[in-house]
Amino acid sequence: MTEQPTGHQPAASTRPPRTAWAAYAACALALLSAIPSFYWAAGGTIGLDTVGGAIEELARARDPAGVALGIGAGLLKVAGGVLALGLVRPWGGRVPRRLLGGVAWAASAVLALYGGLLVAVGALVLAGVIRPAGPVDRTALRWHVLVWDLWFLVWGLLLGLAAWHYGRQSRDRGAQ
């Protein structure tokens, strides 16, 4: 059965679904990423071997710098989630549009470049194309290439998509 036109057009949404899904997905990745940071800062050790290197050593030693690093990283990730939500929630309108969009673009670029570079270099090391001078924790490196750094890359791309739609929406409002 097909619906008959009623002559009444629904009000246009001020937040396109494309913007919403990308922003909500970026927020989810940000908040989920914060969980292990806070867990490890609180002294948890499950999965810490997947991080490797100096960060793992600091966390295992319960060094105050490591605890502060974990808490700081967790707080930045939560802030990234709030930033993504600000692009699609009404309370985001309290922030000047250019500021919110600019910060979202900057965060997107940092996340995508950081994650993309580390995924690419890590993959080249795992493939044997790059041979580091020192020892390589291949387990941690696999985790970085396939999970941790890839997570940053995808988060950055989603935030960038949300920021792009947010900017388009801003331009469309200005043209009306």
Side-chain angles (χ1 to χ4, degrees):
M1 182 170 149
T2 60
E3 290 186 30
Q4 298 297 319
T6 62
H8 177 267
Q9 295 294 327
S13 172
T14 59
R15 302 282 190 229
R18 294 173 299 191
T19 303
W21 80 261
Y24 285 119
C27 177
L29 288 177
L31 297 180
L32 289 171
S33 179
I35 293 170
S37 296
F38 289 129
Y39 169 74
W40 292 326
T45 59
I46 297 171
L48 196 51
D49 59 328
T50 67
V51 178
I55 294 174
E56 178 184 3
E57 291 172 20
L58 283 171
R60 288 196 188 279
R62 299 297 301 139
D63 183 280
V67 173
L69 180 65
I71 291 170
L75 290 174
L76 281 173
K77 292 170 182 180
V78 169
V82 171
L83 172 64
L85 285 180
L87 297 172
V88 294
R89 301 302 303 158
W91 51 261
R94 294 184 188 132
V95 179
R97 292 188 73 76
R98 284 184 185 223
L99 177 63
L100 184 59
V103 171
W105 272 116
S108 168
V110 168
L111 289 165
L113 290 172
Y114 174 79
L117 180 63
L118 292 178
V119 166
V121 171
L124 291 172
V125 169
L126 289 173
V129 175
I130 296 175
R131 300 188 196 288
V136 174
D137 180 346
R138 293 181 100 49
T139 298
L141 187 56
R142 275 189 216 91
W143 273 88
H144 276 275
V145 169
L146 299 173
V147 179
W148 304 125
D149 300 334
L150 186 60
W151 195 309
F152 284 113
L153 173 61
V154 173
W155 173 15
L157 294 174
L158 287 168
L159 184 58
L161 180 61
W164 182 71
H165 284 291
Y166 179 81
R168 285 192 62 190
Q169 179 183 354
S170 295
R171 284 189 300 280
D172 292 346
R173 281 187 182 162
Q176 292 177 358

